[in-house]
Amino acid sequence: MGRRKRARPRLSEEAFVARCRAHGLAVTEQRRRIFAALAASRDHPSAEQIHRAVRERLPNLSLATVYKNLEALRRIGAVSDVNTLHDQGRYEAALLATGKGEPHHRLVCVSCKRILDLPDKGFDALRVSPSLTQGFEVRAVRVQVEGVCPQCRRKRRSPRRRKP
Amino acid sequence: MGRRKRARPRLSEEAFVARCRAHGLAVTEQRRRIFAALAASRDHPSAEQIHRAVRERLPNLSLATVYKNLEALRRIGAVSDVNTLHDQGRYEAALLATGKGEPHHRLVCVSCKRILDLPDKGFDALRVSPSLTQGFEVRAVRVQVEGVCPQCRRKRRSPRRRKP
DNA sequence: TTATATGCAAACTGTTTGCACGTAG
DNA sequence: CTACGTGCAAACAGTTTGCATATAA
């Protein structure tokens, strides 16, 4: 997390306060620090990581408050959650006569979280420039196409799951 | 799940039994049906979905058994889990002066699950052929590069998290 | 016969909720 | 002053584990 450099994203902090006001959210110390921790971090921290980081300054910050804020800030568009698919594990049969095994691509429904295979020969050829991989040892390049599946498009008023 | 067609993946079933034997796993009714459910399904079911599906035939199958089998089958390479990042939510600051907002790409460490942004102009131009999207309303095309981050490459013997 | 698998219940982890109190506006 | 936010503890969902019993090999 933002342990190293004292990165001060002043600009976004003002915009942040403005956006809170615009949406009727009070600007509290906790809220500001949670957002600041997020804005300062280069990776995409979990709620617990944010909690640990902000706690160094606000020792009685509760984890529940972190969650409540992440959700509130998500609603006003100041935060987004990187991991649409974190609610449960998903499995597939591997190898064998199933004709699988290649690093295949995916079609993900952002509403019901359904995942379908996306066989696209064009995508299979994708490579990433080593100058961009920040020292990672690359194992697979996978394309994830996010959208709304036919079922969820139909029943827009009663989608199969989760947050509006 | 595989409710519709009586898809019988005979071939993979034999290969499955062989692979179990090769790795000293007993071939039980439960194990075969769990794998069969997985092999027959077009999407990537969760443990609960598999449980519900197999339960129609084996009514006292326990959910714990499903989990134990998924893990055992993963170890012998007969099953793989589609969703590396399902263990916890990850967040990021959105919009504002952060210069974000574009559907950006990602570098994911398969070992410690860390997620970094991957700004690659080339990838931004990717489009998916409508003939492949199975009726989805496409919202974003995102490239996910999976690999091992520098830290985890170094401490290969003591990675920062999870399953070997 | 014996190593492995099963089912149950209890434990654990990440997340959410209810409520009394506190604080921003 | 009043609506909204906070912290705590309890509730929840998904997953894992321990153990007595059952079954494959």
Side-chain angles (χ1 to χ4, degrees):
Chain A
M1 287 267 331
R3 273 183 193 85
R4 341 228 76 115
K5 43 181 175 179
R6 196 122 225 357
R8 278 282 181 174
R10 280 267 166 249
L11 278 180
S12 44
E13 211 169 310
E14 284 181 36
F16 169 72
V17 170
R19 182 171 287 238
C20 284
R21 297 245 155 87
H23 289 265
L25 291 193
V27 178
T28 65
E29 186 71 5
Q30 290 86 332
R31 186 159 288 162
R32 273 193 302 103
R33 295 228 187 237
I34 287 168
F35 180 78
L38 215 35
S41 112
R42 294 233 314 103
D43 51 19
H44 298 272
S46 66
E48 297 222 39
Q49 290 175 306
I50 296 167
H51 184 226
R52 268 199 298 280
V54 178
R55 227 162 203 246
E56 288 178 11
R57 293 306 183 92
L58 295 181
N60 19 359
L61 175 71
S62 91
L63 186 53
T65 296
V66 174
Y67 279 110
K68 283 168 183 167
N69 272 287
L70 288 171
E71 173 58 15
L73 297 179
R74 195 194 57 78
R75 269 199 306 265
I76 70 168
V79 159
S80 65
D81 65 318
V82 165
N83 191 3
T84 336
L85 295 174
H86 83 90
D87 56 333
Q88 50 189 188
R90 303 298 180 124
Y91 306 85
E92 68 181 355
L95 310 164
L96 310 172
T98 332
K100 308 196 173 180
E102 310 316 305
H104 37 271
H105 312 290
R106 295 187 194 130
L107 218 35
V108 174
C109 176
V110 296
S111 174
C112 71
K113 312 290 176 71
R114 193 216 286 255
I115 306 173
L116 298 176
D117 282 334
L118 173 61
D120 185 315
K121 297 291 182 196
F123 290 162
D124 290 349
L126 277 181
R127 297 293 177 270
V128 60
S129 157
S131 63
L132 296 172
T133 53
Q134 310 185 47
F136 271 58
E137 177 186 309
V138 174
R139 294 282 177 79
V141 177
R142 192 189 297 289
V143 178
Q144 183 163 307
V145 174
E146 298 169 14
V148 185
C149 74
Q151 288 87 333
C152 290
R153 287 173 75 177
R154 229 166 283 131
K155 24 184 169 170
R156 264 286 160 75
R157 299 284 116 188
S158 57
R160 294 212 309 240
R161 289 232 242 147
R162 297 281 166 182
K163 306 171 183 174
Chain B
M1 289 269 329
R3 271 184 194 86
R4 340 229 73 116
K5 45 181 176 180
R6 197 120 222 1
R8 279 282 183 176
R10 282 263 166 251
L11 279 179
S12 44
E13 211 167 311
E14 284 182 36
F16 170 72
V17 170
R19 180 171 287 236
C20 284
R21 296 246 155 84
H23 289 264
L25 290 193
V27 178
T28 64
E29 186 72 5
Q30 291 84 330
R31 186 159 286 162
R32 275 193 301 101
R33 295 227 185 237
I34 286 167
F35 180 78
L38 215 35
S41 112
R42 294 232 314 104
D43 51 20
H44 299 271
S46 67
E48 296 222 41
Q49 289 176 306
I50 296 168
H51 184 227
R52 268 198 299 278
V54 179
R55 226 163 204 245
E56 289 178 10
R57 292 306 181 93
L58 294 181
N60 19 359
L61 174 71
S62 91
L63 186 52
T65 296
V66 174
Y67 279 110
K68 284 169 182 165
N69 272 287
L70 288 172
E71 173 58 15
L73 297 180
R74 194 194 59 78
R75 270 199 306 265
I76 70 169
V79 158
S80 65
D81 65 317
V82 166
N83 192 2
T84 337
L85 296 174
H86 83 88
D87 56 333
Q88 49 188 189
R90 303 297 179 126
Y91 306 85
E92 69 181 352
L95 311 165
L96 311 171
T98 332
K100 308 196 173 180
E102 310 318 303
H104 37 271
H105 312 290
R106 295 187 194 130
L107 221 35
V108 175
C109 176
V110 297
S111 175
C112 71
K113 312 290 176 73
R114 192 218 286 256
I115 306 172
L116 298 177
D117 282 334
L118 173 61
D120 185 316
K121 297 292 182 193
F123 290 164
D124 290 349
L126 278 181
R127 297 292 178 268
V128 59
S129 156
S131 63
L132 296 172
T133 53
Q134 309 185 46
F136 271 58
E137 177 186 309
V138 174
R139 294 281 177 79
V141 177
R142 191 187 300 289
V143 178
Q144 183 162 307
V145 174
E146 297 168 14
V148 185
C149 74
Q151 289 88 332
C152 289
R153 286 173 76 177
R154 229 166 282 133
K155 25 185 167 170
R156 261 291 159 72
R157 298 284 117 187
S158 57
R160 294 214 307 243
R161 287 234 243 144
R162 298 282 166 180
K163 304 170 185 175

